[in-house]
Amino acid sequence: MKAVNWFTPAIALGRIAWLRTVLYLFVILDMHAFVRDTRDKGEHPGLYQPLLLARLFDLPRPSVTNTTILYVVLIVACLVAATNRFPRVAGWIVAPAFTWWVLIGMSDGKVDHDHLALVIALWVLPTVGKASYGDQTRSEAAGWVVRCIQVCVIATYFLSAIAKLRSAGWALTWPGSAVLTWAIVRRPHPVGEWLLNYPWMLQVMQWVGIIAEFLSPVILWLKGRWQLLGALFFIGFHAANTAILLIHFLPTVVCWLAFAPLERVVPWFRARAARRSHRDAGEAEDQPEHGRQAEQQAGA
């Protein structure tokens, strides 16, 4: 029973509304900035080598026609879903469409694991009905969606650590290797090139990185500020990667919002507006009193 409760915490529907807007708009950015060669595969189908999922579902080979239709459908459906209107209909269109888009775009042998949480998020978001940004109604269905996204965010790091072990024959040799040095040489950047002068720092960063990846599941059980600190650590981890290697991981970073209490944004602004209105009203009441005092002084 405790396990079921952990997977279905009661979370305000407002968080779902914010996640929909941010993630569906991000999908449009992703299509143009990150997985942007899907339509190229349609123009040059000879480059297409279907991934396992595409083979299992016997998805058609990309062509100019189907990739163009897929593009238009995704743009329209994402814009509608981002408004939180028709969340189920629009969401169930976006989820399979973007999955197919990614399967085509990553069919050249390089599958980016930074899209794991984003793709799963698109599949679970439509399971919740209507929601508004300020909705404080707590829902276990909303909690299940948020928990699924959180688990996939953490799995991105933990499975990355497992992959590092597997690639080294299940030996802990990765953190002691020169992988960061090789990556900087392959992707030269001023910050990274400066670090080449201090190889011990690169070794420390590799050890910190793999230890953090192995310990990442702990964040799922942290509460309040401790969980926030854990999230900020990994966001800082990605900021460092961007500065050193120009690797961003934005599809995963944006899914860290599932850990943020987004449902508090609207109440915070409403409370702030109420305090400002109350203060202005108090100042308006004081002004007539000052005016009467001025008239009395003038009459005297």
Side-chain angles (χ1 to χ4, degrees):
M1 190 62 181
K2 289 185 177 180
V4 173
N5 292 337
W6 186 84
F7 275 103
T8 58
I11 290 179
L13 288 170
R15 193 181 306 192
I16 298 297
W18 281 107
L19 286 173
R20 280 177 177 151
T21 298
V22 174
L23 295 184
Y24 286 126
L25 291 178
F26 183 83
V27 166
I28 297 176
L29 171 64
D30 194 290
M31 293 167 59
H32 293 87
F34 310 132
V35 186
R36 60 180 184 272
D37 57 349
T38 297
R39 297 180 71 186
D40 292 337
K41 299 287 196 331
E43 296 176 359
H44 306 283
L47 300 174
Y48 179 70
Q49 297 294 327
L51 297 173
L52 175 61
L53 198 59
R55 297 196 301 271
L56 288 176
F57 287 93
D58 195 24
L59 297 178
R61 294 183 68 83
S63 65
V64 173
T65 301
N66 61 27
T67 55
T68 301
I69 293 174
L70 187 60
Y71 175 83
V72 173
V73 167
L74 270 170
I75 295 295
V76 173
C78 282
L79 289 175
V80 173
T83 66
N84 278 289
R85 294 179 180 274
F86 311 106
R88 294 187 189 274
V89 175
W92 287 126
I93 291 174
V94 172
F98 186 67
T99 303
W100 189 15
W101 179 275
V102 169
L103 287 174
I104 296 173
M106 296 185 184
S107 64
D108 52 6
K110 181 179 181 295
V111 178
D112 297 328
H113 60 294
D114 63 348
H115 278 71
L116 170 63
L118 178 60
V119 171
I120 296 302
L122 299 179
W123 279 100
V124 297
L125 281 172
T127 62
V128 178
K130 292 183 179 180
S132 60
Y133 302 119
D135 192 345
Q136 299 301 303
T137 305
R138 294 194 169 272
S139 164
E140 291 183 350
W144 181 78
V145 169
V146 169
R147 188 67 82 199
C148 285
I149 301 173
Q150 291 177 343
V151 168
C152 289
V153 168
I154 297 303
T156 302
Y157 303 98
F158 185 74
L159 295 179
S160 175
I162 297 297
K164 291 180 177 70
L165 280 182
R166 186 186 63 181
S167 64
W170 301 104
L172 192 61
T173 59
W174 186 90
S177 68
V179 63
L180 267 183
T181 301
W182 171 80
I184 292 170
V185 172
R186 188 169 64 94
R187 294 165 125 349
H189 188 63
V191 177
E193 291 178 319
W194 175 78
L195 284 172
L196 290 177
N197 298 313
Y198 305 94
W200 66 269
M201 292 181 64
L202 297 176
Q203 293 284 308
V204 170
M205 292 170 66
Q206 288 173 193
W207 276 104
V208 170
I210 197 166
I211 291 172
E213 287 177 337
F214 273 119
L215 296 179
S216 59
V218 174
I219 294 178
L220 293 170
W221 282 272
L222 295 179
K223 302 291 184 181
R225 293 181 179 178
W226 288 106
Q227 191 175 74
L228 175 61
L229 288 174
L232 290 176
F233 170 83
F234 278 98
I235 292 173
F237 172 81
H238 291 303
N241 276 341
T242 302
I244 297 171
L245 302 172
L246 294 180
I247 298 176
H248 54 77
F249 253 69
L250 279 179
T252 299
V253 171
V254 74
C255 289
W256 273 102
L257 286 173
F259 290 87
L262 302 173
E263 63 274 14
R264 298 180 187 175
V265 173
V266 171
W268 183 83
F269 273 105
R270 285 175 178 170
R272 185 178 181 184
R275 288 195 299 269
R276 183 181 300 172
S277 177
H278 181 73
R279 184 176 65 251
D280 293 344
E283 292 176 354
E285 290 176 359
D286 291 342
Q287 287 178 356
E289 181 65 26
H290 293 321
R292 285 195 296 270
Q293 291 177 358
E295 289 177 359
Q296 292 174 359
Q297 291 175 358

